[in-house]
């Protein structure tokens, strides 16, 4: 007899894949580590196949685990959307979201639009700032929910954090541009305190590549303008696509950049029902977009290999 794949077990499975840490998942679900291991054992019993190789210390998926993962994500997304839809007409209030300008421009538009359609009685306002300032604002009670970049020692004392997705950082320049070939590479960067800036400068210094700062702007529009004019190169997430800009290839002379993690912060005390629903809506929208981006990149890679 086929056993059902329970929603709670699928959620634990997906979180383990995304967080790669039994300890973090246990903390997020308010369970003990043995309880998490037991949930995975129950899911494997229901699936009739092992989902992780050997044990949970290395968290490597088996072929069966790889097969289950996209289905688990799809089931959880539909389940959570259904729950929110059923309760959406009862929710009203105000929510203040904090996020960097970059995320407001590229991560939020679709998510905000879909939230407004689902929760027409909830009013959302947005405060754009760097992640460090957003943490301060949340502690001051000015922000309910925030999207921020994970940075060492940066985070609200009055909030908890959930990982939304990882993003590979890439160099972007004007299509057919020459800025990256100059002896001192001109850079368009966000102000000090931004992780993208710190990572880019550290990578250039380690690779011995000369650079100069040609533009500092708190607005992503200002950085893009410099890059579009071939007056500078900039660093953005790999999922960001800007007409007129292209990702600079490995042979451009610029060093490879690492991944960063995008986090969701929730105020722990006094979070309204509207804010909680908004936070969950962001989780579904941004994490779902990450899965779609990953699938698109895989298909692109397979297509290129076939050619």
């Amino acid at each position: 007899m086929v056993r059902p794949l329970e929603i709670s077990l699928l959620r634990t499975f997906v979180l383990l894949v995304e967080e790669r840490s039994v300890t973090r998942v246990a903390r997020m679900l308010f369970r003990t580590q043995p309880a998490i291991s037991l949930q995975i054992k129950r899911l494997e019993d229901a699936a009739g196949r092992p989902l992780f190789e050997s044990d949970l210390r290395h968290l490597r998926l088996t072929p069966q685990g790889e097969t289950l993962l996209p289905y688990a994500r799809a089931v959880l997304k539909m389940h959570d959307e259904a729950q929110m839809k059923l309760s959406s007409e009862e929710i009203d209030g105000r929510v203040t979201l904090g996020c960097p300008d970059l995320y407001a421009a590229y991560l939020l538009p679709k998510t905000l639009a879909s939230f407004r359609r689902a929760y027409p009685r909830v009013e959302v306002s947005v405060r754009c700032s760097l992640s460090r300032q957003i943490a301060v604002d949340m502690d001051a009670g000015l922000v309910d929910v925030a999207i921020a970049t994970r940075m060492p020692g940066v985070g609200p004392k009055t909030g908890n954090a959930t990982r939304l997705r990882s993003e590979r950082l890439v160099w972007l320049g004007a299509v057919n541009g020459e800025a990256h070939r100059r002896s001192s590479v001109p850079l368009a960067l966000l102000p000090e305190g931004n992780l993208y800036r710190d990572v880019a400068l550290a990578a250039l210094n380690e690779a011995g590549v000369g650079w100069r700062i040609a533009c500092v702007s708190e607005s992503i529009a200002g950085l893009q303008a410099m890059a579009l004019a071939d007056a500078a190169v900039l660093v953005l997430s790999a999922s960001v696509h800007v007409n007129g800009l292209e990702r600079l290839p490995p042979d451009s002379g610029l060093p490879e950049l690492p991944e960063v993690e995008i986090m969701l912060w929730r105020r722990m005390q006094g979070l309204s029902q509207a804010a909680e629903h908004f936070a969950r809506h962001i989780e579904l929208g941004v994490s779902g977009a990450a899965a779609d981006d990953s699938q698109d990149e895989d298909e692109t890679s397979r297509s290129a290999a076939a050619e």
Side-chain angles (χ1 to χ4, degrees):
M1 179 179 176
V2 177
R3 297 176 57 183
L5 304 176
E6 299 176 30
I7 294 292
S8 60
L9 305 185
L10 291 175
R11 195 177 305 281
T12 299
F13 169 66
V14 170
L15 283 174
L16 278 174
V17 173
E18 294 176 347
E19 294 294 327
R20 300 180 184 180
S21 167
V22 176
T23 301
R24 283 201 295 270
V25 172
R27 189 181 304 120
M28 291 168 64
L29 297 178
F30 302 101
R31 294 180 177 270
T32 64
Q33 293 185 41
I36 296 299
S37 299
L38 181 59
Q39 282 194 317
I40 293 302
K41 178 64 168 59
R42 287 173 55 198
L43 183 60
E44 289 180 330
D45 289 344
R49 297 287 190 278
L51 302 175
F52 290 98
E53 298 282 0
S54 301
D55 56 53
L56 295 181
R57 286 178 295 178
H58 301 98
L59 295 176
R60 288 192 293 267
L61 288 173
T62 64
Q64 293 77 21
E66 294 281 3
T67 298
L68 176 61
L69 183 59
Y71 290 103
R73 283 177 168 149
V75 168
L76 289 173
K77 183 176 182 180
M78 292 186 67
H79 171 270
D80 293 346
E81 285 179 348
Q83 277 194 327
M84 289 194 300
K85 185 63 177 177
L86 289 171
S87 62
S88 63
E89 294 182 359
E90 303 173 2
I91 306 299
D92 59 13
R94 296 182 178 181
V95 181
T96 300
L97 169 71
C99 68
D101 183 66
L102 173 65
Y103 299 155
Y106 294 108
L107 289 181
L108 286 182
K110 289 183 179 179
T111 300
L112 282 176
S114 62
F115 184 80
R116 287 187 62 188
R117 290 193 297 269
Y119 297 86
R121 298 170 59 186
V122 177
E123 179 182 320
V124 178
S125 58
V126 180
R127 294 173 65 96
C128 288
S129 189
L130 296 179
S131 296
R132 291 181 186 274
Q133 184 59 48
I134 293 169
V136 174
D137 290 345
M138 181 168 283
D139 288 337
L142 302 176
V143 169
D144 301 305
V145 179
I147 300 176
T149 308
R150 185 196 290 271
M151 298 174 64
V154 175
K157 299 180 179 63
T158 58
N160 56 27
T162 302
R163 176 184 172 277
L164 289 174
R165 62 193 277 184
S166 294
E167 283 273 7
R168 170 69 60 181
L169 297 184
V170 297
W171 300 99
L172 294 180
V175 174
N176 299 321
E178 297 292 328
H180 64 282
R181 302 188 187 281
R182 295 168 193 160
S183 57
S184 292
V185 179
L187 305 174
L189 300 173
L190 291 163
E192 291 184 13
N194 173 260
L195 184 64
Y196 289 23
R197 174 194 177 108
D198 295 344
V199 165
L201 296 183
L204 290 169
N205 289 335
E206 185 174 349
V209 177
W211 54 270
R212 67 180 181 85
I213 296 179
C215 172
V216 176
S217 173
E218 293 187 357
S219 168
I220 189 65
L223 305 183
Q224 287 178 1
M226 288 291 288
L228 288 167
D230 197 26
V233 300
L234 71 158
V235 177
L236 289 178
S237 304
S239 63
V240 175
H241 303 286
V242 181
N243 290 335
L245 298 183
E246 64 181 357
R247 187 186 305 187
L248 299 177
D251 62 0
S252 66
L254 299 178
E256 183 178 2
L257 298 172
E259 289 186 344
V260 297
E261 291 188 318
I262 301 174
M263 309 299 293
L264 176 68
W265 295 341
R266 288 177 172 90
R267 192 154 52 88
M268 287 187 294
Q269 300 295 327
L271 192 67
S272 68
Q273 191 176 22
E276 181 55 48
H277 278 254
F278 182 57
R280 187 60 186 142
H281 198 85
I282 290 174
E283 285 186 280
L284 289 172
V286 176
S287 298
D292 293 341
D293 292 340
S294 177
Q295 183 176 356
D296 290 343
E297 288 184 7
D298 290 343
E299 290 175 354
T300 300
S301 298
R302 286 195 294 270
S303 176
E307 292 174 0

